[in-house]
Amino acid sequence: LMFIGIQGSGKTTTIGKTANYFQKRGFKVGVIGGDTFRPGALDQLEQYLSQIKVEVFGDKKEKKAKKIIKIACIQCQNRSKRL
C-alpha cells in the first residue's frame, strides 16, 4: 500500500492503524518511510509505530526516495515482512 497526501492530512495515523490491522490478522508488517522533504517524517513514523512493534525502514540521509524504497524493500524481504 502507498499512502500519499499533503502535510497534516493524517498519513502517519492512518499508516499506524493500517499496520496494526494487518498485524492483528497475523501478517508480518514493515513500513517504509520515503519522505525526503521533511526531516522529522521518519522519526515520527518510528515513534508512532514502535508502540505497536512495527519495524520502520528508511534512510534519513538519502535524498532519492526511489533508492530508499528499493533498499528498504530488499531489507523487508530479507526479514520476511509484508509491505
Side-chain angles (χ1 to χ4, degrees):
L1 301 174
M2 180 183 290
F3 293 85
I4 300 172
I6 59 173
Q7 293 175 347
S9 62
K11 292 178 301 298
T12 302
T13 302
T14 303
I15 290 167
K17 289 179 180 181
T18 304
N20 193 35
Y21 173 87
F22 284 107
Q23 190 176 52
K24 284 184 175 181
R25 283 151 182 81
F27 289 90
K28 295 179 182 177
V29 180
V31 173
I32 299 171
D35 188 338
T36 58
F37 295 102
R38 194 166 64 89
L42 190 58
D43 292 328
Q44 184 181 8
L45 271 176
E46 289 171 341
Q47 182 181 9
Y48 191 78
L49 295 172
S50 69
Q51 297 171 25
I52 57 172
K53 297 184 177 31
V54 170
E55 192 168 7
V56 178
F57 299 88
D59 185 344
K60 296 174 189 172
K61 296 177 184 174
E62 180 59 54
K63 297 299 177 197
K64 296 181 181 178
K66 184 177 177 180
K67 187 173 181 180
I68 292 170
I69 294 166
K70 184 177 181 178
I71 292 169
C73 284
I74 293 167
Q75 291 173 336
C76 285
Q77 288 173 344
N78 290 341
R79 292 183 175 99
S80 300
K81 302 281 184 184
R82 293 185 187 241
L83 305 175

